[in-house]
């Protein structure tokens, strides 16, 4: 638990997909962090964590992007982002530099301060004051990087359990990859399609009306597949439900029927 | 065997529509992982054993020469022979020579992936010697002219109907769909072969340095008959299988059985220590160990060194959602799944195997179940790096990532790129809020809708708010 007299200052790591596709996820994250007593700043020097280059094998560009990100996020007590995958990438940064390189120590320092949001709320802040009017049956997909690189499993469930209206039905194979995998889903489209098809089948079997998760890559993938299959399941990032930011449509849904304009 | 790894994508596409294969793959997914999980649950110290296994393997690899020489000295002391083979060709010639010196006509074989790796069967056949596979799965595949699709369950890609038809065609007996009847048929066919064989060839799961023993584990007992009945026993295995002591071996046996099949112990664990002694009732008169390197010693001290810890349990492929979707033959060579995607480029060359290390979402499930903690995603990423540096990455992907990185290194430009993309995607999404078809990412929209952004980029909105003084 944090010292109550001290307001922690958070450097928010926005993440590309949230910035581009789902700004509401970032606003919801800020709302949650502020409700938990933090001061949130948005470092302007940040871009992407560099994972696309890292996983393509372009280590030189990855290291350049890492140096940029490390610099942008220095000086904040904590760095928090709404993605296990992107925060997991920040945790890979020390691998990019030789131990004697000064950047190695700076990468280590960032790794020690960087948290995915549900993990930060539960593991660091021990926050237990979630207030949300959300009502409905949900199921939760455990995104791979968060689950296996950062140990995120119980944290999102602990937070959802604080919402009276949430009924969580676990799907089969919630820990199996949805087939997104960054550029994998385009490079190996047929295999990815099979994997996401398995996933949407397991989602549909739960009967849940809402699918939640902590990573937009996976969520966009599953939302797109559910819609193509005509399965009536709404897909949202977990922070939208936790922060009660539900006034706009779910992923890939039309804003028009809600009477909103672009 | 013919290498089809360069056609990985085409192989996968065909596999995904193969009804029989898909049915068989359902058995992998629903079988092995659950059995492993149950076995792990029953052994609370399993994770500690994994740590021990990793540490011990690291120690062995750091002292590989010492333990191999100790092993060799003890084999010789027991009256056996050790043959050091740098390449597959060396190994094939060595084995052929031993067989020819014995005037061998037929050779029985226990299950061995190293003999697949060195393409032994075709070589023996070309030289007038008939190899007979005695592992049930391998036997079925040999009748069908196929290769294993899995390293511990070679015929896992087949269904009962396939086996029934194959046996009917080769055994000339009434067609049966009863596994017990089919098993009995195979047994009867193989008994005569076991007795007639001049040489028995097995692999080895481990080599024990302190005693000069080799051990094989099987659930069928075929390995025992292969190595005790013929006058000559040849063990064909690779150099990283050596362990210092019998006690060390038992650590790996505990890890192996649980990780592979979820058994606490494999049914037959058979040690071979040299040829038959005067007081022994049975056993071979000659005992040879063919130690295959085939690129492994080049891995020592390099970035792939950790792969040498592999004990060939197959847990990585049993849990891999990519393997589970396409099966082992799609990978196009001997070793499939995550371990194969690391090993195959080392053995057949990254040029031919370039697609394999990329065929992973890096979901990390393989690493999470590996009994010796091999960081398989990291090692696959090593190959991607190697491909990128050697310009083997497809041009479009290479150009794409470099262009993207140019922007990602310049925050102001990156914001502009995000804003432009955001606006375009919203326009394309229109009233529906999603995009049905987008040719530049057809890999995505062929199979799914693409959700459109819900509003202007976060950075745009945030900075507007800051300016407005909120």
């Amino acid at each position: 638990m944090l010292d109550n007299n001290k307001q922690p200052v958070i450097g928010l790591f926005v993440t590309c997909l949230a910035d581009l596709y789902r700004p509401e996820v970032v606003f919801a994250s800020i709302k949650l962090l502020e409700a938990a007593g933090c001061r949130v700043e948005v470092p302007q020097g940040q871009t992407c964590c560099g994972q696309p280059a890292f996983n393509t094998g372009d280590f030189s560009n990855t290291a350049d992007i890492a140096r940029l990100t490390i610099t942008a996020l220095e000086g904040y007590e904590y760095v928090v982002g709404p993605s296990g995958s992107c925060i997991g990438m920040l945790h890979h940064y020390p691998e990019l530099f030789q131990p004697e390189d000064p950047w190695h120590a700076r990468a280590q320092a960032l790794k020690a301060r960087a948290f995915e949001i549900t993990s930060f709320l539960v593991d660091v802040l021990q926050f237990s004051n979630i207030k949300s009017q959300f009502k409905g049956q949900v199921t939760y997909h455990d995104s791979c990087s968060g689950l296996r690189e950062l140990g995120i499993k119980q944290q999102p469930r602990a937070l959802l359990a604080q919402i009276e209206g949430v009924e969580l039905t676990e799907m089969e194979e919630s820990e199996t990859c949805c087939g997104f995998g960054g550029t994998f889903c385009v490079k190996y489209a047929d295999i990815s399609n099979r994997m996401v098809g398995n996933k949407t089948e397991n989602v549909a079997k739960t009967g849940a009306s809402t699918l939640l998760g902590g990573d937009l890559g996976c969520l966009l993938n599953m939302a797109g597949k559910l819609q193509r299959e005509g399965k009536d399941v709404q897909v949202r990032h977990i922070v939208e439900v936790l922060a009660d930011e539900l006034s706009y449509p779910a992923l890939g849904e039309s804003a028009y029927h809600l009477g909103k304009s672009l | 065997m013919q290498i089809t790894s360069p056609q990985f994508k085409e192989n996968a596409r065909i596999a995904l529509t193969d009804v029989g294969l898909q049915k068989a793959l359902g058995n992998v997914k629903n079988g092995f992982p659950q059995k492993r999980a149950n076995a792990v649950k029953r052994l609370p110290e399993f994770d500690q054993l994994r740590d021990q296994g990793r540490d011990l393997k690291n120690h062995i690899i750091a002292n590989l020469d010492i333990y191999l020489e100790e092993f060799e000295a003890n084999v010789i002391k027991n009256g056996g022979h050790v043959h050091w083979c740098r390449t597959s060709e060396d190994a094939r010639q060595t084995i052929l020579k031993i067989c020819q010196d014995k005037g061998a006509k037929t050779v029985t074989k226990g299950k061995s992936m190293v003999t697949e790796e060195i393409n032994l069967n075709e070589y023996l056949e070309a030289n007038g010697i008939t190899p007979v596979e005695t592992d049930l799965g391998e036997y079925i595949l040999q009748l069908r002219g196929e290769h294993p699709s899995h390293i511990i369950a070679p015929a896992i890609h087949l269904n009962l109907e396939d086996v029934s038809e194959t046996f009917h065609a080769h055994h000339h007996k009434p067609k049966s769909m009863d596994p017990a009847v089919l098993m009995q048929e195979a047994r009867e066919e193989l008994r005569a072969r076991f007795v007639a064989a001049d040489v028995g060839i097995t692999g080895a799961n481990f080599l024990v340095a302190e005693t000069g023993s080799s051990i094989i584990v099987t659930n069928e007992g075929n390995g025992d008959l292969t190595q005790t009945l013929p006058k000559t026993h040849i063990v064909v295995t690779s150099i990283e299988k050596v362990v210092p002591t019998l006690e060390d071996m038992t650590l790996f046996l505990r890890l192996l059985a649980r990780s592979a099949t979820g058994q606490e112990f494999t049914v037959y664990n058979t040690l071979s220590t040299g040829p038959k002694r005067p007081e022994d009732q049975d056993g071979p008169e000659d005992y040879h160990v063919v130690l295959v390197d085939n690129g492994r010693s080049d891995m020592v001290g390099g970035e792939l060194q950790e792969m040498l810890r592999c004990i060939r349990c197959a847990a990585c492929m049993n849990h891999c959602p990519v393997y589970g979707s396409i099966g082992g033959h799609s990978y196009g060579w001997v070793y499939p799944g995550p371990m194969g995607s690391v090993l195959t480029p080392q053995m057949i060359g990254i040029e031919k195997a370039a697609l394999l290390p990329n065929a992973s979402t890096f979901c990390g499930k393989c690493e999470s179940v590996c009994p010796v903690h091999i960081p398989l995603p990291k090692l696959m990423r090593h190959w991607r790096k190697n491909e990128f540096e050697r310009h083997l990455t497809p041009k479009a992907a290479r150009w794409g990532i470099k262009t993207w990185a140019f922007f990602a290194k310049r925050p102001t430009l990156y914001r502009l790129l995000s804003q432009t993309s955001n606006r375009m995607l919203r326009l394309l999404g229109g009233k529906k809020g999603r995009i049905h078809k987008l040719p530049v990412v057809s890999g995505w929209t062929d199979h799914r809708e693409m959700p459109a952004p819900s509003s202007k980029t976060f950075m745009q909105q945030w900075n507007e708010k800051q300016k407005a003084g909120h």
Side-chain angles (χ1 to χ4, degrees):
Chain A
M1 185 72 99
L2 291 167
D3 181 352
N4 282 337
N5 301 319
K6 206 171 121 246
Q7 190 182 35
V9 182
I10 311 292
L12 192 73
F13 193 54
V14 175
T15 73
C16 305
L17 290 177
D19 183 42
L20 177 65
Y21 276 97
R22 200 74 176 157
E24 295 79 9
V25 164
V26 195
F27 285 115
S29 303
I30 294 171
K31 189 175 166 185
L32 284 168
L33 290 167
E34 287 180 348
C38 303
R39 187 154 68 78
V40 182
E41 291 183 15
V42 180
Q44 292 293 311
Q46 63 179 299
T47 59
C48 170
C49 64
Q51 194 173 173
F54 189 48
N55 286 348
T56 307
D58 182 356
F59 281 32
S60 159
N61 272 320
T62 312
D64 288 346
I65 295 168
R67 280 186 279 264
L68 176 113
T69 308
I70 291 167
T71 309
L73 300 177
E74 260 166 0
Y76 296 97
E77 201 173 342
Y78 295 103
V79 170
V80 178
S83 159
S85 178
C86 309
I87 298 297
M89 181 64 209
L90 303 188
H91 284 227
H92 278 292
Y93 281 179
E95 295 166 32
L96 296 165
F97 306 103
Q98 295 299 320
E100 59 277 11
D101 185 338
W103 284 101
H104 187 267
R106 292 170 75 178
Q108 282 289 4
L110 173 60
K111 178 178 173 177
R113 291 179 293 122
F115 292 88
E116 183 272 346
I117 183 141
T118 63
S119 151
F120 185 68
L121 289 171
V122 173
D123 300 335
V124 180
L125 299 180
Q126 286 148 38
F127 183 63
S128 59
N129 201 16
I130 294 289
K131 288 194 170 68
S132 171
Q133 300 305 311
F134 180 90
K135 270 197 174 54
Q137 191 188 352
V138 306
T139 191
Y140 194 86
H141 167 67
D142 294 292
S143 287
C144 302
S145 306
L147 175 71
R148 283 181 272 271
E149 290 181 6
L150 304 174
I152 295 165
K153 177 75 187 179
Q154 292 314 318
Q155 299 89 330
R157 290 167 176 80
L159 294 168
L160 287 172
Q162 296 173 33
I163 306 172
E164 208 179 319
V166 165
E167 186 198 332
L168 176 68
T169 309
E170 295 286 356
M171 69 176 102
E172 282 173 39
E173 298 188 69
S174 72
E175 295 185 2
T176 298
C177 180
C178 73
F180 173 63
T183 55
F184 173 87
C185 69
V186 179
K187 286 181 185 161
Y188 296 84
D190 298 322
I191 301 172
S192 172
N193 180 43
R194 169 58 52 88
M195 289 162 70
V196 71
N198 291 343
K199 183 55 74 174
T200 54
E201 196 182 317
N202 283 325
V203 170
K205 270 197 270 179
T206 63
S209 53
T210 303
L211 166 63
L212 299 177
D215 259 287
L216 275 169
C218 321
L219 293 170
L220 289 163
N221 180 37
M222 295 182 292
K225 189 65 184 174
L226 287 163
Q227 284 160 353
R228 179 63 59 90
E229 293 176 329
K231 293 193 169 99
D232 188 18
V233 180
Q234 302 232 307
V235 181
R236 288 185 186 273
H237 192 289
I238 182 173
V239 294
E240 303 175 30
V241 168
L242 296 177
D244 209 4
E245 287 285 333
L246 303 157
S247 58
Y248 48 90
L251 274 172
E253 301 285 343
S254 168
Y256 278 80
H257 71 277
L258 294 174
K260 292 193 173 181
S261 63
L262 284 171
Chain B
M1 78 186 266
Q2 202 196 338
I3 296 169
T4 67
S5 304
Q7 293 92 50
F8 173 80
K9 285 189 187 184
E10 179 64 6
N11 296 344
R13 202 181 55 73
I14 294 167
L16 284 163
T17 55
D18 182 334
V19 179
L21 173 66
Q22 290 299 321
K23 183 181 161 203
L25 287 173
N27 301 334
V28 182
K29 203 169 102 177
N30 300 324
F32 289 129
Q34 194 53 53
K35 286 178 186 159
R36 176 192 175 274
N38 293 341
V40 168
K41 216 179 286 168
R42 287 194 299 267
L43 189 71
E45 68 268 36
F46 186 72
D47 276 338
Q48 280 160 275
L49 295 183
R50 291 171 72 197
D51 294 346
Q52 278 183 34
R54 174 199 55 208
D55 296 345
L56 179 53
K57 273 282 178 180
N58 285 344
H59 166 80
I60 294 166
I61 296 161
N63 298 280
L64 196 54
D65 50 342
I66 294 167
Y67 289 120
L68 285 170
E69 284 179 357
E70 185 187 348
F71 171 77
E72 179 189 36
N74 283 321
V75 172
I76 293 168
K77 205 167 77 186
N78 298 331
H81 311 271
V82 175
H83 309 266
W84 300 80
C85 299
R86 183 161 285 281
T87 64
S88 296
E89 183 57 28
D90 293 347
R92 284 191 296 260
Q93 285 176 9
T94 302
I95 297 161
L96 178 67
K97 179 149 194 322
I98 301 168
C99 292
Q100 285 172 337
D101 287 351
K102 300 287 167 190
K105 290 191 180 62
T106 66
V107 169
T108 42
K109 283 187 70 207
K111 190 177 148 25
S112 148
M113 291 309 290
V114 174
T115 62
E116 293 286 338
E117 180 186 319
I118 65 172
N119 216 0
L120 182 63
N121 285 6
E122 282 176 31
Y123 187 78
L124 290 178
E125 277 167 7
N127 286 281
I129 294 170
T130 308
V132 180
E133 295 288 352
T134 65
D135 170 273
L136 181 60
E138 293 270 9
Y139 173 69
I140 296 164
L141 296 185
Q142 193 178 25
L143 293 182
R144 295 171 64 91
E146 292 181 11
H147 290 279
S149 67
H150 187 281
I151 63 170
I152 65 157
I156 197 85
H157 58 285
L158 298 176
N159 294 296
L160 180 59
E161 306 87 78
D162 305 313
V163 180
S164 170
E165 272 168 35
T166 305
F167 277 15
H168 178 61
H170 288 87
H171 295 162
H172 311 294
K173 287 190 178 153
K175 202 166 164 179
S176 170
M177 284 288 281
D178 181 350
V181 172
L182 294 170
M183 185 83 99
Q184 190 54 36
E185 271 185 37
R187 220 176 234 144
E188 284 164 16
E189 288 288 329
L190 286 171
R191 286 288 147 155
R193 312 290 187 91
F194 279 124
V195 178
D198 306 298
V199 173
I201 296 178
T202 66
N205 293 90
F206 304 100
L207 302 171
V208 184
E210 69 171 350
T211 58
S213 310
S214 58
I215 180 170
I216 55 165
V217 304
T218 77
N219 282 313
E220 298 171 19
N222 64 303
D224 296 55
L225 295 174
T226 303
Q227 65 188 20
T228 47
L229 291 179
K231 287 188 173 166
T232 303
H233 176 200
I234 307 175
V235 177
V236 183
T237 192
S238 51
I239 54 173
E240 82 285 9
K241 302 271 169 51
V242 72
V243 298
T245 66
L246 284 168
E247 198 180 335
D248 296 331
M249 176 194 75
T250 60
L251 166 65
F252 291 117
L253 291 178
R254 297 176 78 192
L255 285 168
L256 177 62
R258 287 177 175 85
S259 302
T261 53
Q263 291 167 289
E264 256 128 51
F265 221 57
T266 315
V267 178
Y268 296 87
N269 293 262
T270 310
L271 284 146
S272 292
T273 309
K276 180 175 150 180
R277 294 161 299 184
E279 64 271 30
D280 291 335
Q281 293 193 341
D282 52 26
E285 288 166 12
D286 264 317
Y287 175 78
H288 295 264
V289 180
V290 175
L291 286 175
V292 180
D293 181 341
N294 209 16
R296 287 168 176 82
S297 57
D298 293 338
M299 293 160 75
V300 177
E303 290 192 75
L304 293 174
Q305 174 166 314
E306 291 177 282
M307 192 61 216
L308 292 172
R309 293 205 294 263
C310 180
I311 59 170
R312 304 292 192 268
C313 71
C316 61
M317 61 195 76
N318 291 341
H319 290 78
C320 175
V322 174
Y323 180 96
S325 298
I326 61 174
H329 285 155
S330 298
Y331 292 81
W333 196 58
V334 175
Y335 298 107
M339 57 81 76
S341 295
V342 175
L343 219 44
T344 305
Q346 175 73 13
M347 293 184 171
I348 68 170
I350 186 63
E351 295 83 358
K352 283 183 196 155
L355 290 169
L356 305 184
N358 290 285
S360 165
T361 61
F362 285 159
C363 80
K365 193 99 175 225
C366 48
E367 182 175 358
S368 77
V369 295
C370 177
V372 285
H373 295 293
I374 299 172
L376 291 154
K378 181 180 137 191
L379 301 183
M380 284 187 257
R381 196 184 286 111
H382 158 78
W383 280 120
R384 296 187 190 184
K385 175 170 169 251
N386 184 295
E387 290 177 42
F388 197 85
E389 284 166 358
R390 294 168 59 184
H391 292 250
L392 295 169
T393 310
K395 276 207 181 76
R398 198 182 160 78
W399 180 86
I401 211 70
K402 288 203 154 187
T403 310
W404 170 85
F406 176 86
F407 284 95
K409 289 194 272 190
R410 294 165 176 82
T412 310
L413 281 180
Y414 197 68
R415 291 270 181 278
L416 280 172
L417 178 70
S418 302
Q419 285 173 23
T420 314
S421 316
N422 169 283
R423 190 182 222 151
M424 272 172 47
L425 288 166
R426 273 189 293 138
L427 276 172
L428 289 166
K431 290 186 180 182
K432 280 192 159 169
R434 53 180 184 252
I435 301 155
H436 187 66
K437 197 170 171 161
L438 191 58
V440 286
V441 283
S442 59
W444 182 288
T445 55
D446 281 351
H447 304 294
R448 339 162 171 68
E449 302 289 297
M450 175 172 278
S454 46
S455 54
K456 283 194 262 186
T457 69
F458 168 78
M459 281 300 198
Q460 224 175 337
Q461 296 186 48
W462 177 259
N463 290 332
E464 282 168 12
K465 279 190 184 182
Q466 299 300 305
K467 266 188 205 152
H470 286 292

